[in-house]
Amino acid sequence: MSKKVLVAYASKMGATAGIAAAIGDELRAHGHSADVAEVTSVNDVAPYDAVVLGSAIYVRRWRRDAVRFLRHNVAGLRQRQVWLFHSGPVGPDKDEDQTMPPAVRHLARSIGATPAVTFAGRLEPATAKGFLARRLAAGKLAGDARDWDKIRAWSADVSAAIEATQRSTWHRPPANHSRKRPAGHFLG
Ligand SMILES: Cc1cc2nc3c(=O)[nH]c(=O)nc-3n(C[C@H](O)[C@H](O)[C@H](O)COP(=O)(O)O)c2cc1C
């Protein structure tokens, strides 16, 4: 059965926005109705059966707007299926799963959402914003590492779960969460 899905995202340089658009396309291809919107433009999750939320990662953190969105909508999100993703790793670490920042992990648990899936990101001179980003985009991290097959496959899984009206759940007990360090390039 067709469901109404919100794909909300927080992006600084456009890469996560592109991933959100691809997720929206895939959900529509599976017969759902999907609104793709920047988190700051979403006032209410009430019209939606399910929510996909994604943020870019900067220095191991989610974008502030995405965290704020989670915090402000805990009650509404608790009642719906919620799927999280974050986008970041580029260069040699592009396939490294990134851990959820503690604040996001805490909020995800209170909502009952599965841990965020990691999608590789993009860092290119043409889209880089800010001195540091431009500098990093001129080095070995440069490139568009977004894996569209992985993004589409994940979206298809989300679509199937939404169709089955299956609520996402937190799989891992907090004590067992991965302590793996994220891409070291950004941490000095
Ligand atoms: C200053 C800076 C810090 C970053 N920190 C991280 C990080 O901690 N972890 C990570 O996986 N990616 C990190 N990245 C890579 C970005 O997350 C990646 O470029 C992402 O695709 C940007 O998304 P956006 O275009 O939606 O803003 C960093 C990039 C910059 C420029």
Side-chain angles (χ1 to χ4, degrees):
M1 204 184 92
S2 169
K3 297 278 169 74
K4 196 165 164 50
V5 188
L6 169 67
V7 183
Y9 65 88
S11 175
K12 182 181 177 188
M13 305 189 295
T16 311
I19 293 171
I23 293 169
D25 287 346
E26 189 67 22
L27 292 172
R28 279 183 221 108
H30 283 81
H32 299 297
S33 122
D35 289 343
V36 179
E38 220 163 356
V39 273
T40 49
S41 70
V42 180
N43 297 321
D44 196 0
V45 297
Y48 300 99
D49 299 306
V51 176
V52 176
L53 171 67
S55 175
I57 309 172
Y58 284 89
V59 197
R60 299 162 66 178
R61 298 221 170 108
W62 274 33
R63 302 280 294 157
R64 192 173 304 158
D65 289 336
V67 181
R68 201 173 284 150
F69 175 86
L70 275 176
R71 195 169 287 133
H72 287 176
N73 290 287
V74 165
L77 293 173
R78 243 193 197 130
Q79 321 269 322
R80 321 189 134 67
Q81 300 173 70
V82 179
W83 308 90
L84 306 173
F85 74 91
H86 48 202
S87 96
V90 284
D93 292 323
K94 68 181 174 54
D95 296 321
E96 290 282 310
D97 281 345
Q98 302 297 297
T99 51
M100 291 162 85
V104 176
R105 191 185 312 134
H106 177 77
L107 285 161
R109 290 195 67 201
S110 47
I111 287 160
T114 39
V117 66
T118 301
F119 293 131
R122 176 188 67 185
L123 190 54
E124 289 181 322
T127 45
K129 283 187 188 162
F131 173 76
L132 186 52
R134 278 196 294 275
R135 241 185 89 168
L136 291 168
K140 64 174 179 176
L141 299 182
D144 188 348
R146 290 174 296 175
D147 181 342
W148 301 110
D149 286 343
K150 179 177 176 181
I151 293 162
R152 274 191 290 268
W154 182 79
S155 308
D157 286 349
V158 167
S159 169
I162 289 172
E163 214 157 300
T165 336
Q166 184 182 296
R167 195 149 188 281
S168 63
T169 51
W170 181 267
H171 295 313
R172 293 183 286 183
N176 288 347
H177 68 74
S178 166
R179 289 268 176 212
K180 194 163 51 172
R181 283 176 69 77
H185 304 282
F186 306 106
L187 307 173

